[in-house]
């Protein structure tokens, strides 16, 4: 028993309201889930320049070679312990371990600038974390090593949403709803075809 595609097409047109309903329901559920149920992650970043005042060609190369060390030091307990203490008043559940796990740093190619990034569940917390860590680094680094002059670039003001946006999840939900709606209508149409064929076969046998 073959599938009559024309019949299925007509069924889809006839039951288009059902397909649209699937799209609306699943799209709406996707938006609701992304907005209220799914956890979000925001990332904020800030640039830090570290170099000695006397900038000879040799000193510049030395400073550049030391940048990976500063990217490591910024996650050291001597920095994060102080940063966590300062942040605790606003974020009492924040731990030093969590701050360490949510903080990264990377160097820029052939530069005395490195970038600090921090993640959090809220945009404001991510911003506060990266600014506080940078400030503590500025205050503490020369007690750890002779880093030279530290210059903090512009304060982080905003964070970037790393998780999928609400509209992206809603769109995915709508597409899933469309596919399920088309599948439901197609299956229903196929069943109707089979019932009709069985009914016609019985009539012929009786005739």
């Amino acid at each position: 028993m073959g599938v009559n595609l024309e019949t299925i097409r007509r069924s889809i047109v006839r039951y288009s309201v059902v397909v649209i309903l699937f799209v609306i329901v699943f799209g709406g559920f996707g938006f609701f889930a992304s907005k209220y149920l799914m956890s979000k992650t925001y990332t904020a970043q800030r640039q830090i320049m570290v170099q000695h005042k006397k900038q000879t060609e040799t000193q510049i190369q030395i400073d550049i070679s030391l940048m990976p060390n500063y990217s490591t030091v910024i996650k050291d307990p001597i920095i994060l312990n102080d940063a966590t203490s300062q942040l605790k008043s606003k974020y009492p559940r924040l731990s030093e371990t969590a701050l360490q796990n949510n903080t990264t740093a990377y160097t820029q190619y052939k530069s005395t600038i490195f970038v600090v990034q921090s993640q959090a569940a809220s945009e404001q917390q991510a911003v506060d974390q990266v600014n506080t860590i940078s400030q503590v680094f500025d205050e503490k680094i020369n007690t750890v090593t002779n880093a030279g002059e530290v210059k903090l670039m512009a304060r982080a003001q905003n964070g970037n949403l790393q998780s999928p946006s609400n509209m992206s999840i809603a769109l995915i939900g709508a597409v899933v709803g469309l596919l399920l709606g088309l599948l439901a209508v197609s299956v229903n149409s196929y069943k109707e075809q089979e019932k009709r064929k069985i009914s016609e076969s019985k009539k012929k046998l009786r005739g």
Side-chain angles (χ1 to χ4, degrees):
M1 298 181 177
V3 178
N4 191 323
L5 297 179
E6 179 60 25
T7 302
I8 292 178
R9 187 192 70 78
R10 290 176 182 173
S11 295
I12 291 174
V13 173
R14 184 173 47 171
Y15 294 109
S16 58
V17 174
V18 175
V19 176
I20 293 172
L21 185 62
F22 267 81
V23 172
I24 293 173
V25 170
F26 278 83
F29 177 76
F31 181 83
F32 176 84
S34 65
K35 189 172 180 65
Y36 299 106
L37 303 180
M38 294 176 64
S39 59
K40 293 181 174 61
T41 302
Y42 292 87
T43 298
Q45 67 177 34
R46 190 174 186 180
Q47 294 181 324
I48 302 176
M49 177 185 288
V50 185
Q51 62 184 23
H52 289 81
K53 289 184 178 180
K54 190 176 180 180
Q55 286 292 286
T56 63
E57 182 63 30
T58 300
Q59 186 60 59
I60 291 173
Q61 293 305 314
I62 292 173
D63 287 340
I64 290 174
S65 69
L66 290 173
M67 296 312 293
N69 295 339
Y70 303 140
S71 299
T72 302
V73 170
I74 203 162
K75 296 186 66 176
D76 190 273
I78 196 170
I79 305 295
L80 294 186
N81 184 42
D82 197 349
T84 304
S85 298
Q86 293 185 34
L87 290 162
K88 277 278 191 181
S89 59
K90 192 171 182 180
Y91 308 104
R93 294 185 178 181
L94 180 65
S95 67
E96 184 179 329
T97 301
L99 189 60
Q100 184 179 48
N101 292 338
N102 291 323
T103 300
T104 57
Y106 63 89
T107 60
Q108 296 188 342
Y109 182 64
K110 290 187 177 181
S111 171
T112 56
I113 294 175
F114 72 99
V115 180
V116 185
Q117 291 184 329
S118 196
Q119 293 184 338
S122 75
E123 182 180 13
Q124 187 58 54
Q125 183 173 343
V127 169
D128 290 340
Q129 286 179 182
V130 79
N131 285 330
T132 302
I133 292 170
S134 300
Q135 189 63 50
V136 173
F137 177 85
D138 183 20
E139 297 166 358
K140 297 274 189 180
I141 187 60
N142 279 302
T143 65
V144 178
T145 182
N146 181 24
E149 185 179 13
V150 177
K151 182 177 181 181
L152 301 180
M153 300 305 187
R155 290 176 60 85
Q157 301 292 335
N158 305 101
N160 297 318
L161 179 62
Q162 301 301 303
S163 307
S165 67
N166 296 337
M167 293 308 299
S168 295
I169 299 298
L171 180 60
I172 292 172
V175 171
V176 171
L178 174 64
L179 295 175
L180 290 177
L182 292 173
L183 179 62
V185 170
S186 298
V187 169
N188 182 69
S189 176
Y190 175 76
K191 288 182 177 180
E192 288 182 351
Q193 287 183 56
E194 294 302 300
K195 287 181 181 179
R196 196 176 303 112
K197 289 177 181 178
I198 292 172
S199 177
E200 290 175 355
S201 297
K202 288 181 178 179
K203 288 179 178 179
K204 288 180 180 179
L205 289 173
R206 289 172 183 172

